[in-house]
Amino acid sequence: SGGRNLNASFPRFPTAGDMYAHLRELTSPGGDFTVRNFVGVIEDMSIASATVETELFPLGALEFYTSKNMGWNYTPEEHDRWMLPERGGDQGDYREGMQEKIANVIDCLKTEPRSKRAVIPIPFATEGSRTVDWRNQGQTKCCRELYLYIEDGHLKCTGVLRMQNASIFPKNIHFFATLINRVGGELRLPVGEYTHFIANLCYDRSAISC
C-alpha cells in the first residue's frame, strides 16, 4: 500500500535550530502577541541536530528536562540546579507513564508497521479529560499528542501542540528527538522528518493564560 504526505507543501527547516530562529522572528513583538496555527517540518531529527542551546536552556538543562520527561532517573541535585518556573512548570511535565507509552508505540509498530495507532498521548498527568479545568496547568499540557509512523523506510513523527512558547521550543524538541530516536533504535529504523503543529505560538511565558 502506498500513500501521500501533504507536509511536502509546508515550510521546511533543515534543523531544529533553523525552526527555532523562525519561531523567534515570528513572535518577536513579544508579550501576548499570538501566531495561530503554525506548521513546519524539521528534516533532520537527530539528537545532535535537535540540541538547540540558549541562555535559558544550556545543555545541562536540556538533558535534565529530557531525562525527566522520558521517565528516567535524575538526582535531587540535578532538580535543584535546573528546575525553574520560566523553563516550564506543570504544563511541560510529560513524565507520567511515559515509559509505558513508549513501549506501547514500539509494540504497535513492531506488530503492525502500517499502523495509525502509534500515539503518545499527553493530555493530563493522571486525570481523565472529563475533569478538565483551564485554571489547572497540569491539565493544560502544551504538547497534546505525538503520532509516530513508518514511511519510506523511516520512522517519522507528527506533534500537535496546544501552546508553544518560542523560548521553550529547545526543551520540547530535544525531548521529542530523544523519544523518536529511542523508538527508531528499537525498531532498527532510521529517523526521518518531524512535522510540528502549533495552535498557539507566543514569544515566551509572559503571554496571557499560555
Side-chain angles (χ1 to χ4, degrees), residues 150-171:
I150 299 170
E151 183 180 67
D152 302 327
H154 289 72
L155 177 67
K156 300 183 180 182
C157 181
T158 296
V160 177
L161 281 77
R162 172 193 65 80
M163 179 71 215
Q164 176 74 83
N165 289 305
S167 63
I168 305 293
F169 174 81
K171 178 182 79 169

Side-chain angles (χ1 to χ4, degrees), residues 5-20 22 38-45 149 151-152 156-157 192-196:
N5 196 329
L6 297 180
N7 74 355
S9 63
F10 298 160
R12 303 183 77 83
F13 303 88
T15 70
D18 295 313
M19 181 179 281
Y20 171 70
H22 184 64
F38 171 89
V39 60
V41 179
I42 299 173
E43 296 173 336
D44 182 355
M45 277 297 282
Y149 51 96
E151 183 180 67
D152 302 327
K156 300 183 180 182
C157 181
E193 65 198 15
Y194 166 77
T195 305
H196 199 53

Side-chain angles (χ1 to χ4, degrees), residues 41-61:
V41 179
I42 299 173
E43 296 173 336
D44 182 355
M45 277 297 282
S46 64
I47 295 175
S49 177
T51 301
V52 182
E53 294 186 66
T54 65
E55 183 177 352
L56 182 60
F57 285 104
L59 182 59

Side-chain angles (χ1 to χ4, degrees), residues 115-165:
S115 180
K116 291 80 175 169
R117 300 178 183 175
V119 59
I120 303 283
I122 321 176
F124 302 94
T126 55
E127 307 90 347
S129 60
R130 178 179 292 185
T131 61
V132 63
D133 181 355
W134 70 272
R135 297 173 180 83
N136 184 337
Q137 292 194 25
Q139 290 190 349
T140 53
K141 301 294 186 185
C142 294
C143 178
R144 308 305 291 178
E145 290 189 326
L146 298 174
Y147 305 101
L148 291 94
Y149 51 96
I150 299 170
E151 183 180 67
D152 302 327
H154 289 72
L155 177 67
K156 300 183 180 182
C157 181
T158 296
V160 177
L161 281 77
R162 172 193 65 80
M163 179 71 215
Q164 176 74 83
N165 289 305

Side-chain angles (χ1 to χ4, degrees), residues 30-99:
D32 197 46
F33 181 83
T34 306
V35 176
R36 311 281 188 190
N37 299 315
F38 171 89
V39 60
V41 179
I42 299 173
E43 296 173 336
D44 182 355
M45 277 297 282
S46 64
I47 295 175
S49 177
T51 301
V52 182
E53 294 186 66
T54 65
E55 183 177 352
L56 182 60
F57 285 104
L59 182 59
L62 292 173
E63 292 177 340
F64 164 73
Y65 277 99
T66 288
S67 293
K68 182 174 182 292
N69 283 324
M70 286 291 290
W72 296 339
N73 293 329
Y74 58 87
T75 67
E77 292 76 19
E78 289 172 322
H79 178 278
D80 293 344
R81 180 177 183 183
W82 299 116
M83 192 80 176
L84 291 175
E86 54 266 38
R87 290 180 175 146
D90 289 344
Q91 290 173 316
D93 185 352
Y94 308 136
R95 180 182 178 87
E96 182 73 25
M98 185 52 66
Q99 285 297 304

